[in-house]
């Protein structure tokens, strides 16, 4: 019988993978817990002036692959992996996707993998370090984004805190993001907390993922000898998360969404994101919810989303799908209501 435990060793291959006529391609791995700002940082890299042809692999935890839709400036080079956590369930697909990405007429100079917010990076790193794939790619750096405002939001959940620490421990650079939302004293508490558990790790403070491109790309920081041993950081016993997905053709009221998130959204929802259509515009908008903060911003996704269909995904603990469905339904304005306002 096949074991149900997640494997940390890479899926076997009959022979080594290589890209004919070229050396291994550098890879940057973006990790970090849900809502830390990985997609924002990824968009900054993709729209930056670095002269590299960047291929992107996006992994999303949920039936609706929202992250891939939100990645800007990339079309054919974006390969979405939505079957589960990239570090355990679809590692074989990960390698195949890298091969497909590199086997293109327009050769790729650099690969960026945005991991799921609940991914333990160990499985991804072990896959890339396997001797069978060293001719195909090499890890250039592992960047972990940390939400300065929300890092301690789950302070009573040992499993989530262990996962966050493990994501940091595997990184060679921590991007402490959203520092504009907290004070200097809070930043120092975070630095002390990280240093207490993980010594001598480089930390860059940012807002909106605005880190220098030369720090993010081609850094060559990765050193496999510095990877944490299994006993240095507690391996979380499976992230205690659930997902809820929702589609609707009804339009959302932005004001109603803002009010609902601030007043009624359950604290058990860690993250909510989506591509939505609102009552005040025919343009799709990105919905980003972290904690009680709700951002709704216009998107340029012509031809890449189903026009008029809003898609949402929520990730959290002990999610009540019926309750969430009702809460979001209270924020829609149906056609008859738009024609005959109350």
């Amino acid at each position: 019988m096949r074991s149900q435990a997640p494997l940390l060793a890479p899926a076997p291959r009959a022979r080594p993978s290589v890209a004919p006529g070229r050396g291994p391609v550098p890879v940057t791995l973006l990790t970090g817990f849900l809502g830390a700002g990985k997609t924002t940082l990824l968009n900054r890299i993709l729209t930056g002036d670095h002269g590299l042809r960047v291929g992107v692999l996006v992994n999303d935890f949920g039936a609706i692959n929202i992250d891939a839709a939100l990645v800007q400036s990339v079309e054919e080079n974006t390969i979405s992996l939505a079957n589960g956590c990239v570090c355990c369930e679809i590692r074989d697909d990960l390698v195949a996707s890298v091969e497909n990405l590199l086997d293109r007429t327009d050769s790729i100079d650099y690969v960026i993998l945005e991991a799921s917010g609940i991914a333990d990076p160990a499985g991804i790193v072990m896959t890339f370090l396997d001797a069978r794939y060293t001719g195909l790619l090499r890890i250039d750096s592992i960047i972990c984004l940390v939400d300065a405002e929300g890092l301690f939001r789950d302070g009573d959940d040992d499993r989530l805190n262990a996962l966050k620490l493990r994501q940091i421990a595997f990184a060679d650079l921590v991007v402490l993001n959203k520092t504009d939302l907290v004070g200097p004293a809070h930043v120092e508490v975070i630095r002390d907390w990280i240093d207490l558990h993980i010594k001598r790790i480089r930390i860059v403070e940012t807002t909106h993922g605005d880190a220098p491109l030369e720090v993010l790309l081609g850094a060559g920081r990765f050193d496999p000898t510095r990877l944490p041993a299994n006993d240095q950081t507690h391996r979380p016993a499976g992230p205690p998360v659930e997902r809820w997905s929702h589609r609707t053709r009804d339009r959302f009221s932005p004001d109603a969404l803002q009010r609902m998130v601030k007043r009624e959204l359950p604290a058990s929802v860690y993250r909510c994101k989506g591509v939505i259509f609102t009552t005040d515009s025919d343009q799709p908008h990105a919905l980003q919810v972290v904690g009680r903060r709700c951002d709704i911003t216009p998107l340029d996704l012509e031809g890449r989303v189903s026009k008029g269909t809003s898609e949402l995904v929520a990730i959290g603990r002990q999610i009540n799908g019926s309750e969430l469905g009702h809460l979001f339904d209270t924020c829609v304005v149906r056609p008859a209501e738009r024609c005959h306002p109350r």
Side-chain angles (χ1 to χ4, degrees):
M1 178 181 293
R2 184 179 178 181
S3 173
Q4 298 301 308
L7 300 175
L8 290 180
R13 291 293 181 93
R15 60 182 183 274
S17 298
V18 296
R22 67 181 306 167
V25 175
V27 178
T28 286
L29 175 61
L30 295 182
T31 70
F33 194 66
L34 303 164
K38 294 185 296 298
T39 301
T40 299
L41 180 64
L42 176 58
N43 287 337
R44 168 166 167 70
I45 293 174
L46 296 176
T47 58
D49 184 17
H50 44 65
L52 296 172
R53 288 165 293 189
V54 178
V56 179
L57 292 164
V58 178
N59 174 244
D60 191 27
F61 185 77
I64 300 173
N65 200 333
I66 297 299
D67 275 340
L70 294 183
V71 172
Q72 301 172 0
S73 306
V74 173
E75 294 179 4
E76 294 181 1
N77 283 358
T78 300
I79 298 176
S80 302
L81 307 176
N83 297 333
C85 178
V86 71
C87 68
C88 55
E89 295 182 28
I90 56 172
R91 280 184 321 228
D92 198 29
D93 284 353
L94 168 61
V95 174
S97 297
V98 171
E99 292 175 333
N100 292 335
L101 190 64
L102 299 180
D103 187 22
R104 297 174 48 84
T105 303
D106 299 328
S107 60
I108 301 300
D109 300 319
Y110 211 95
V111 172
I112 298 175
L113 177 90
E114 180 190 352
S116 162
I118 58 167
D120 181 338
I124 307 172
V125 174
M126 290 180 69
T127 296
F128 287 172
L129 289 181
D130 189 274
R132 285 163 288 196
Y133 310 130
T134 55
L136 182 68
L137 47 83
R138 64 172 177 81
I139 301 177
D140 183 72
S141 63
I142 303 175
I143 300 172
C144 180
L145 273 81
V146 173
D147 180 352
E149 183 189 37
L151 176 60
F152 301 127
R153 186 176 294 126
D154 309 297
D156 60 343
D157 194 316
D158 292 339
R159 288 176 296 179
L160 287 184
N161 289 330
L163 174 60
K164 294 175 184 179
L165 273 175
R166 192 161 175 82
Q167 291 173 337
I168 294 171
F170 270 82
D172 46 61
L173 175 69
V174 169
V175 175
L176 183 57
N177 198 29
K178 307 183 185 181
T179 54
D180 57 318
L181 302 178
V182 299
H186 190 94
V187 170
E188 285 304 310
V189 169
I190 293 174
R191 283 179 169 272
D192 290 343
W193 181 77
I194 293 175
D195 187 62
L196 176 67
H197 297 279
I198 304 154
K199 301 295 184 183
R200 297 181 301 278
I201 189 166
R202 187 179 184 187
I203 300 176
V204 175
E205 298 176 20
T206 68
T207 62
H208 305 291
D210 190 19
L213 292 175
E214 57 269 22
V215 173
L216 302 175
L217 297 176
R221 287 184 301 265
F222 179 71
D223 179 359
T225 66
R226 297 184 61 186
L227 291 176
N230 286 338
D231 58 352
Q232 283 184 280
T233 59
H234 173 65
R235 186 184 301 278
V241 296
E242 300 171 354
R243 61 181 180 268
W244 172 83
S245 302
H246 183 63
R247 287 183 175 90
T248 181
R249 294 284 296 178
D250 293 320
R251 298 291 186 103
F252 284 97
S253 163
D255 291 340
L257 275 174
Q258 294 276 2
R259 287 194 299 271
M260 185 274 288
V261 168
K262 291 179 180 178
R263 300 175 184 176
E264 302 176 78
L265 190 69
S268 59
V269 175
Y270 303 139
R271 181 84 161 93
C272 185
K273 51 189 174 179
V275 176
I276 66 171
F277 287 84
T278 63
T279 54
D280 56 1
S281 172
D282 286 332
Q283 184 177 7
H285 285 65
L287 172 68
Q288 300 278 6
V289 176
V290 181
R292 296 297 180 185
R293 190 171 66 254
C294 177
D295 295 321
I296 302 172
T297 55
L299 290 171
D300 183 12
L301 296 174
E302 186 66 30
R304 294 167 60 191
V305 297
S306 178
K307 189 170 180 60
T309 299
S310 296
E311 300 183 335
L312 307 167
V313 62
I315 304 170
R317 177 177 53 185
Q318 298 178 335
I319 288 181
N320 185 323
S322 298
E323 179 186 8
L324 278 185
H326 171 72
L327 287 174
F328 279 98
D329 279 345
T330 64
C331 302
V332 302
V333 179
R334 294 177 173 83
E337 296 173 325
R338 294 202 297 269
C339 296
H340 305 285
R342 296 174 183 174

